[in-house]
Amino acid sequence: MKQVTFNSIEKAIEKIDNLDDDALELISEAFSKEQPTLLGYVMSAALEYKNEKLEGLLVYYFCLITEAFKQEQIVCTEISDDDIDAFEEPFFEMLDSYFDTDEDEILEDFCEQAELARFMAMEISVEDEDGTSLDDETATQLFIVTMAQVTLLSRAQKD
């Protein structure tokens, strides 16, 4: 299984962060056509968690994570509802173990993308350049949803 490297994450950040709003909308539309079910799953979290702050973050990180896979030249099959259904119970069991023990290896082994897991853990825990940070609830929700996306994309890799 191919791994997304930190170099590819940095390239994705450079690309996504330098897009204006129109270009970001275009790239998110392109990614949504490639993975419509995954995008729907990711975006439904803002409604399920009843957290409006989460919506914009989810769009940004959906694009960033998808772009990181592209930078690494990882091609993924389209994720289906069946893929998500099969993934959810083991994922939430793993999260329970991870949050109980705080052992990074549990998460990294499950999602199969250690660099992306470390990157997202850092993203939710540090202040932005302007000194703002996420509240604990939003940070945890963002982390859970992005780790689901990372895991599903990793498992959808074409050989």
Side-chain angles (χ1 to χ4, degrees), residues 1-158:
M1 178 160 304
K2 197 166 185 187
Q3 298 292 305
V4 174
T5 62
F6 194 71
N7 186 45
S8 291
I9 296 167
E10 287 179 324
K11 287 179 182 176
I13 292 167
E14 180 72 23
K15 181 174 180 176
I16 299 300
D17 282 359
N18 286 310
L19 297 174
D20 63 21
D21 288 343
D22 291 336
L24 184 59
E25 187 174 329
L26 287 174
I27 200 166
S28 65
E29 284 177 20
F31 290 159
S32 72
K33 288 178 183 171
E34 292 174 24
Q35 292 290 350
T37 303
L38 179 60
L39 178 61
Y41 178 69
V42 166
M43 295 308 296
S44 70
L47 293 173
E48 288 179 33
Y49 288 126
K50 297 180 175 96
N51 185 343
E52 291 180 21
K53 292 183 272 185
L54 196 56
E55 191 171 341
L57 292 166
L58 291 173
V59 171
Y60 173 79
Y61 283 103
F62 179 84
C63 291
L64 183 70
I65 291 166
T66 303
E67 183 61 33
F69 274 82
K70 290 195 173 307
Q71 289 292 329
E72 199 64 52
Q73 299 179 345
I74 297 173
V75 178
C76 299
T77 59
E78 187 177 327
I79 295 164
S80 69
D81 286 326
D82 289 342
D83 296 328
I84 293 169
D85 291 343
F87 148 87
E88 278 190 316
E89 186 175 333
F91 179 69
F92 288 112
E93 288 172 3
M94 177 278 303
L95 285 176
D96 287 342
S97 294
Y98 171 71
F99 287 126
D100 286 345
T101 64
D102 218 17
E103 291 183 28
D104 294 337
E105 296 81 31
I106 293 171
L107 177 69
E108 292 169 7
D109 289 347
F110 187 87
C111 79
E112 301 167 341
Q113 294 291 336
E115 294 293 328
L116 276 169
R118 284 187 213 115
F119 167 74
M120 285 308 305
M122 185 180 67
E123 281 289 289
I124 65 163
S125 62
V126 298
E127 291 181 350
D128 285 346
E129 291 173 2
D130 65 2
T132 60
S133 60
L134 297 173
D135 62 81
D136 288 344
E137 184 178 36
T138 301
T140 300
Q141 293 165 353
L142 178 63
F143 186 71
I144 290 168
V145 176
T146 56
M147 286 300 88
Q149 178 188 353
V150 167
T151 305
L152 286 162
L153 285 172
S154 186
R155 294 179 179 184
Q157 288 184 46
K158 289 184 179 178

